[in-house]
Amino acid sequence: LGRERKVGKGRSAWPGGRGIRIEEAITINRPVEEVFSAWSDTRELPRFMEHIEVVTPIREGRSLWTARMGGPVPLRLRWEAEVIAERENELLGWRSVPGSDIDIAGTVRFQPAPGGRGTELRAVLTYLPPGGAVGRAIARGFRAVTSQQVKNDLWRFKSVLEAGEAPTVEGQPSGRAREAATAAIAGKR
């Protein structure tokens, strides 16, 4: 997309090997039309994309994104995205516009899964991390985490479409919390 070149999985998409590329796929047990429609509603994306705070439609084919990035130095990034390719029930492609906090582009492809098992969704995300060479070095070190974030987002999207909600452990007791409470009580004796 835009400056993106065709490259293999895990390789850079920007000239000079500067960018980071992530590709993940998932099968969702829903019809292609439903999956495409759900993904196309940008206002709902923060519901399953954990790092996205808000997506605000600006006008047809344009939206303003705000994301928070964790790590050693938490960041809040904003970018305006424009849709650059759309084929209903097949493909969505977008990229950030000049002046955004991050240079980012992506595509999502939708196709019927074999055997009538729903929809295969394949997402490709490429970006140039902010912060020049230092930012790129940090991003390469966190690539597995970033790739895992995309996987987790896709699993939450699948859960929302198939079950109506994304699973969470918020507010639920955990074994570790119980062990800590038991140890604290035992320490007072």
Side-chain angles (χ1 to χ4, degrees):
L1 299 175
R3 293 167 285 193
E4 182 180 4
R5 297 179 292 143
K6 283 196 164 206
V7 292
K9 185 174 181 176
R11 296 193 46 215
S12 172
W14 267 268
R18 298 178 301 145
I20 303 293
R21 181 176 195 269
I22 299 166
E23 180 175 348
E24 296 297 338
I26 196 164
T27 300
I28 300 169
N29 193 18
R30 307 307 283 171
V32 170
E33 300 78 17
E34 185 179 335
V35 176
F36 182 87
S37 177
W39 194 279
S40 299
D41 186 356
T42 56
R43 293 170 305 205
E44 291 295 317
L45 297 178
R47 184 173 175 195
F48 63 88
M49 291 183 172
E50 195 169 66
H51 62 289
I52 301 296
E53 290 181 348
V54 66
V55 180
T56 307
I58 299 171
R59 62 181 178 274
E60 186 66 32
R62 291 245 178 162
S63 52
L64 183 61
W65 294 61
T66 303
R68 67 188 177 295
M69 304 296 168
V73 180
L75 293 173
R76 176 169 279 124
L77 301 173
R78 292 178 60 142
W79 65 94
E80 184 177 329
E82 65 179 341
V83 174
I84 58 171
E86 182 172 358
R87 287 194 303 269
E88 189 167 344
N89 301 326
E90 290 181 33
L91 169 77
L92 285 171
W94 70 94
R95 68 176 171 213
S96 59
V97 300
S100 296
D101 289 348
I102 187 168
D103 208 351
I104 188 166
T107 58
V108 180
R109 295 185 181 276
F110 309 82
Q111 66 182 36
R117 296 180 306 129
T119 302
E120 287 184 353
L121 181 151
R122 180 168 304 280
V124 178
L125 179 68
T126 57
Y127 66 97
L128 278 174
V134 172
R136 286 191 297 277
I138 292 169
R140 280 191 189 91
F142 286 101
R143 180 179 301 186
V145 172
T146 306
S147 182
Q148 187 62 49
Q149 283 178 332
V150 173
K151 277 183 191 173
N152 292 346
D153 288 347
L154 292 179
W155 274 103
R156 280 188 295 277
F157 181 64
K158 174 183 174 79
S159 296
V160 166
L161 287 182
E162 291 181 355
E165 62 184 354
T168 178
V169 294
E170 282 187 36
Q172 297 180 17
S174 74
R176 279 181 256 138
R178 193 171 304 130
E179 287 174 9
T182 303
I185 292 170
K188 291 181 180 179
R189 290 184 187 166

